[in-house]
Amino acid sequence: MTKKPYLFVLALCFVLPALLFAGGNQESENSGKSLEIFSWWTAGGEAEGLQAMLDVFHEKYPDIEIINATVAGGAGTNAKAVLATRMQGGNPPDAFQVHAGHELIDTWVVSGYMEPVTFILKENGWMDKFPKDVIDIISYKGEVYSIPVNVHRSNVMWYNPKLFKDNGLEPPKNMDEFFTVAEKLKAAGVTPLALGDTNGWPATHLLESVILASTGPEKYRQLWERKVSWSDPDVQEALENYAKMMNYTNSDHAALTNMDAAGYVAEGKAAMNVMGDWVAGYYKSQDYTQGVDWDWMPTPGTQGNFIMLSDSFGLAKNAPNRENVIKWLEVCASKEGQDAFNPIKGSIPSRIDGDRSKYDAYLNAAMDDFASNEIVPSVAHGAAVSEAWITKINDIMSVFTTDLDVKKATIEFQAVADRYAPK
Amino acid sequence: MYCPKQETRKGLLVVLPLSAVLFVFVYGFILWSLKVSFSAWDGILPNMNFIGLENYRRLFSSQRFVTDLFNTLYFTLFFMVVCIVGGFFLSYLLYSRLRAEALFRTIYLFPLSLSFVVTGVLWRWVLSPEVGVNALFHMLGFKASFGWFTSTQSFGKFNYALISLIIAASWQYLGYTMAMFLAGLRGIPDQIIESAELDGAGEFRIIRSILLPMLKPITFSAMIVLGHISLKIFDLAYAMTGKGPAFVTDFPGLFMFETTFRGNHYAEGAAISIIMLLLIALVIIPYLYSTFRGEET
């Protein structure tokens, strides 16, 4: 009798791990019939949009079991940590969400974890259904590596029409006008620019628009390819402008999230805010009316340009259900799949032939601009730079937004560019 | 103590599986982290090329990490002082004055049942510059413009924004230290105090010459418990403030998490972890040493 407890403990030590591994084996026996989709779309319109696209997939392939593996929290940070562990451990999910562009390419493609998906676009004759600028952003060495399911615009200025009207002002179209207008608003006791950078990246989000306004699209692209230096006069002008803009922001910006700041505009607490176009979906969900509570225009000085970011899915090497992933990517790239997902998510399709009647007024306007504008990649959202680089940029921004020291920031921006720009 | 051989063997058999797991997953991985921290691993693909102390050199020349270290220092210092002084004061009140001891003990201990994440969210609301206590002061007609955790002012290397975190953390752990001191006070024999009173010692004399010296071991334990909490603080800062403008509320734990899991700077993250381990070792090793010595005698 006395021996038994020890034996029991010992037995447990050996049996438990065995059980765990048995679970693992079972999963792989299912392969061929299932599809695991890994994302951080857990809330509101995102999760519903994903579900709509899953429904499209299910209708086409009713036999394939869909495993919707979402990891909540941290704007994708938690999901990315789980993903990194799984990829490095040789257990990749079938399909995973990733920002199109360098976030995908520098992290996963260059390190050899991904398979090209050019053949999916070619076989379906879809190469010309995506704008060339988009194909460039998702390509590496001539091959396409991910299927973008949506497009968001970063360089949008949201403004409060009533505040502008009351003060007899027009929304600014370039930086000079911005500072004139901001000065007048400030004198009238209105906060000119709402910022909510408690999470860090909204400051970088604002900076990318300010840089584009000074450099134009060509130089903007070259800056992130390290062909233009940070001491270039146009880039310097942008940094000066950013520092100057901080005089016109709300004093509690470090305590607010980006959505709080967007809310300030609709509530009339601030006149302008620069944020991506998911704000339109947010306003809609809060029952604010376009033209009354809010309106939009491209950020000052960036008319004719479209800073894009996009969520995409790729094909990992050794994906357990490769055939099913390819079917899934076909749905992601199809008109049907994109038109199911995007109206609910509040983004526009990455294809040029979306069904306009399914999208609201703002999204239709965004689709017009996407079709006609110069498209450049977003920095804050992983299209133009790698995650390694952007985390360092966000750190520099955290200090720069506070001390407004252009000289010091320039040196630091250049140092991280030298270290992390693709060679 | 008499211990037959068979019993010893059985005992070893029982502790063996857990020790093996500990050695691999705790000590093994500490050594692995140490190795990574000397490597050039900066990206998804492991790169174990030895680069010596380069990662550490880079850390100590980065504004973020230096700020983190000073934040840790000041946060630990003030958190410990507030908790220990406040905890002793409260416990003394309960011990000597208040009648409804059980009630107050519960009230003060209650925050401890929350996690730091809940505390963080709660105090974020209370101290938010536009809607929190500042708004209350405004309603009462005072001018309050302190930015709390968004303040970027500092005195020397002490960032004022830390005050908010110190308040939140102390609020949670004040009751805990109070309970520790209370237990200590209850353990002091009444006769000593009574005889001191007969000798004409006043209240302060009793506190200074009897209670405080006899509570030394308790104070020491409290410092260890509070010290290791504040040295590896992560959850409270993450939920309440994040890294803050210009890192005014940043800590090594936050930096490590962001740089490793967001930026894939694995070697840099490992170096931060090793430094955090050393900081905590500075507190824990003297404690273990004194406990073991205590057990032997």
Side-chain angles (χ1 to χ4, degrees):
Chain A
M1 190 62 205
T2 47
K3 272 185 187 168
K4 277 193 176 161
Y6 306 117
L7 286 177
F8 179 71
V9 171
L10 265 184
L12 216 60
C13 289
F14 290 109
V15 170
L16 274 182
L19 280 175
L20 288 176
F21 286 116
N25 286 337
Q26 223 163 14
E27 215 167 276
S28 55
E29 274 164 25
N30 273 340
S31 68
K33 287 179 212 134
S34 63
L35 171 70
E36 186 190 8
I37 294 165
F38 184 94
S39 77
W40 59 87
W41 285 324
T42 52
E46 302 177 337
E48 288 164 29
L50 176 63
Q51 192 54 49
M53 202 158 50
L54 293 177
D55 290 344
V56 173
F57 183 83
H58 184 69
E59 219 162 87
K60 283 192 170 168
Y61 309 103
D63 296 337
I64 299 172
E65 185 203 355
I66 301 167
I67 303 163
N68 187 3
T70 52
V71 177
T77 317
N78 301 350
K80 285 174 195 168
V82 174
L83 179 68
T85 319
R86 290 188 58 173
M87 295 287 271
Q88 289 165 340
N91 175 28
D94 290 323
F96 63 89
Q97 176 194 358
V98 63
H99 283 140
H102 283 268
E103 184 171 315
L104 169 75
I105 288 165
D106 292 9
T107 307
W108 299 116
V109 175
V110 175
S111 51
Y113 281 97
M114 305 298 290
E115 250 186 76
V117 294
T118 326
F119 68 95
I120 295 179
L121 296 182
K122 282 200 171 139
E123 280 171 15
N124 289 289
W126 288 338
M127 278 307 263
D128 58 350
K129 298 293 181 213
F130 295 85
K132 193 191 157 292
D133 295 322
V134 174
I135 297 283
D136 283 348
I137 289 166
I138 57 180
S139 296
Y140 176 69
K141 291 189 177 165
E143 294 277 4
V144 173
Y145 275 92
S146 70
I147 303 290
V149 291
N150 66 350
V151 165
H152 276 296
R153 185 177 196 173
S154 150
N155 60 323
V156 186
M157 186 184 81
W158 311 92
Y159 63 91
N160 186 309
K162 193 169 171 296
L163 282 177
F164 275 93
K165 218 164 138 197
D166 290 353
N167 292 287
L169 296 166
E170 286 288 319
K173 293 195 176 61
N174 56 47
M175 286 315 275
D176 290 339
E177 283 182 30
F178 174 85
F179 287 117
T180 319
V181 165
E183 193 50 54
K184 284 182 181 155
L185 285 168
K186 197 178 178 182
V190 176
T191 302
L193 182 69
L195 176 67
D197 65 339
T198 192
N199 293 318
W201 63 263
T204 314
H205 186 112
L206 173 60
L207 180 73
E208 71 185 21
S209 275
V210 177
I211 290 179
L212 179 62
S214 290
T215 62
E218 204 43 50
K219 222 177 210 177
Y220 173 93
R221 280 196 203 100
Q222 288 171 347
L223 181 64
W224 309 111
E225 291 160 359
R226 207 172 146 256
K227 288 174 188 152
V228 163
S229 142
W230 281 82
S231 44
D232 180 275
D234 290 343
V235 181
Q236 286 292 301
E237 179 194 271
L239 293 178
E240 297 283 357
N241 278 343
Y242 181 88
K244 212 168 139 193
M245 280 172 117
M246 289 302 112
N247 298 323
Y248 299 105
T249 55
N250 44 317
S251 60
D252 60 344
H253 64 86
L256 300 188
T257 67
N258 58 312
M259 286 308 185
D260 296 335
Y264 267 27
V265 170
E267 292 161 22
K269 284 190 194 164
M272 298 172 273
N273 173 233
V274 172
M275 190 33 66
D277 62 5
W278 44 92
V279 167
Y282 172 71
Y283 285 157
K284 217 170 134 188
S285 73
Q286 302 286 311
D287 288 329
Y288 291 122
T289 318
Q290 183 173 4
V292 180
D293 302 304
W294 63 275
D295 219 325
W296 71 279
M297 59 189 290
T299 47
T302 67
Q303 276 85 350
N305 297 293
F306 191 110
I307 304 185
M308 78 157 259
L309 58 124
S310 160
D311 291 298
S312 69
F313 285 95
L315 176 56
K317 277 181 188 163
N318 306 321
N321 303 293
R322 186 172 178 275
E323 292 307 308
N324 295 347
V325 185
I326 292 169
K327 287 174 188 157
W328 165 251
L329 293 178
E330 275 175 352
V331 169
C332 290
S334 72
K335 187 166 176 290
E336 197 189 352
Q338 299 215 342
D339 281 344
F341 176 74
N342 286 304
I344 304 174
K345 164 87 162 83
S347 44
I348 63 171
S350 57
R351 290 171 67 108
I352 50 180
D353 57 355
D355 180 354
R356 297 268 182 156
S357 64
K358 291 186 171 159
Y359 297 86
D360 65 20
Y362 168 75
L363 291 175
N364 264 295
M367 283 159 91
D368 288 341
D369 283 357
F370 187 60
S372 60
N373 280 359
E374 184 92 19
I375 299 170
V376 294
S378 158
V379 175
H381 305 279
V385 301
S386 65
E387 285 168 302
W389 194 355
I390 188 66
T391 47
K392 296 294 180 193
I393 291 174
N394 285 340
D395 277 2
I396 298 169
M397 286 307 290
S398 176
V399 178
F400 180 42
T401 304
T402 308
D403 69 7
L404 307 179
D405 186 340
V406 173
K407 224 177 193 173
K408 195 175 98 190
T410 306
I411 295 169
E412 287 177 355
F413 277 128
Q414 189 61 49
V416 293
D418 293 344
R419 192 162 151 79
Y420 294 107
K423 305 274 146 54
Chain B
M1 198 171 91
Y2 174 68
C3 197
K5 242 192 179 157
Q6 210 195 350
E7 285 292 309
T8 322
R9 210 176 291 154
K10 268 186 202 162
L12 277 178
L13 211 60
V14 172
V15 295
L16 199 68
L18 188 60
S19 323
V21 169
L22 273 181
F23 264 98
V24 174
F25 289 103
V26 176
Y27 301 100
F29 283 176
I30 288 176
L31 286 178
W32 174 248
S33 295
L34 190 66
K35 193 179 165 200
V36 171
S37 76
F38 293 129
S39 76
W41 188 355
D42 192 3
I44 280 290
L45 282 188
N47 174 358
M48 298 307 285
N49 288 343
F50 182 80
I51 54 165
L53 292 170
E54 179 61 18
N55 289 312
Y56 293 91
R57 193 196 60 75
R58 221 177 264 143
L59 273 183
F60 282 102
S61 59
S62 89
Q63 185 179 353
R64 180 167 187 179
F65 192 68
V66 174
T67 314
D68 288 358
L69 288 181
F70 277 106
N71 284 350
T72 308
L73 175 76
Y74 284 113
F75 177 75
T76 306
L77 197 72
F78 285 107
F79 173 57
M80 286 211 280
V81 167
V82 171
C83 279
I84 287 173
V85 174
F88 175 75
F89 179 70
L90 288 177
S91 70
Y92 184 73
L93 281 186
L94 284 189
Y95 172 72
S96 63
R97 298 255 155 58
L98 285 170
R99 275 167 188 273
E101 186 197 315
L103 174 72
F104 283 102
R105 208 174 47 205
T106 316
I107 290 176
Y108 285 123
L109 260 180
F110 208 66
L112 196 64
S113 67
L114 301 178
S115 82
F116 260 145
V117 175
V118 180
T119 309
V121 173
L122 201 149
W123 281 93
R124 183 190 171 85
W125 288 336
V126 174
L127 299 178
S128 189
E130 294 295 314
V131 294
V133 284
N134 279 8
L136 191 71
F137 284 133
H138 281 300
M139 271 163 56
L140 296 174
F142 294 103
K143 264 208 149 160
S145 59
F146 187 56
W148 292 107
F149 56 85
T150 64
S151 164
T152 51
Q153 288 164 304
S154 63
F155 180 79
K157 291 278 185 185
F158 174 67
N159 296 314
Y160 290 162
L162 286 177
I163 294 171
S164 309
L165 282 164
I166 293 164
I167 291 176
S170 309
W171 175 80
Q172 178 149 6
Y173 272 89
L174 198 59
Y176 177 71
T177 36
M178 178 204 73
M180 282 177 90
F181 279 122
L182 200 56
L185 287 173
R186 293 259 174 271
I188 296 173
D190 289 342
Q191 295 93 318
I192 302 180
I193 295 166
E194 276 164 19
S195 56
E197 275 170 353
L198 281 181
D199 288 343
E203 193 173 356
F204 283 102
R205 185 64 203 253
I206 291 176
I207 294 178
R208 199 163 51 104
S209 304
I210 299 177
L211 299 187
L212 287 183
M214 293 195 84
L215 286 174
K216 243 185 199 163
I218 304 273
T219 315
F220 190 55
S221 307
M223 280 171 71
I224 299 295
V225 171
L226 298 174
H228 94 269
I229 289 170
S230 65
L231 282 175
K232 58 184 187 191
I233 190 87
F234 171 82
D235 34 11
L236 180 70
Y238 190 76
M240 186 167 160
T241 59
K243 61 189 174 188
F247 313 122
V248 286
T249 54
D250 197 42
F251 291 97
L254 286 180
F255 187 17
M256 186 273 163
F257 177 70
E258 270 192 18
T259 200
T260 315
F261 297 114
R262 193 169 283 186
N264 300 321
H265 307 293
Y266 283 91
E268 189 179 64
I272 299 171
S273 312
I274 294 296
I275 293 171
M276 285 175 71
L277 182 74
L278 290 178
L279 284 178
I280 291 170
L282 280 180
V283 177
I284 295 294
I285 287 176
Y287 174 69
L288 289 180
Y289 182 70
S290 74
T291 327
F292 276 125
R293 255 193 15 187
E295 268 177 16
E296 274 163 24
T297 51

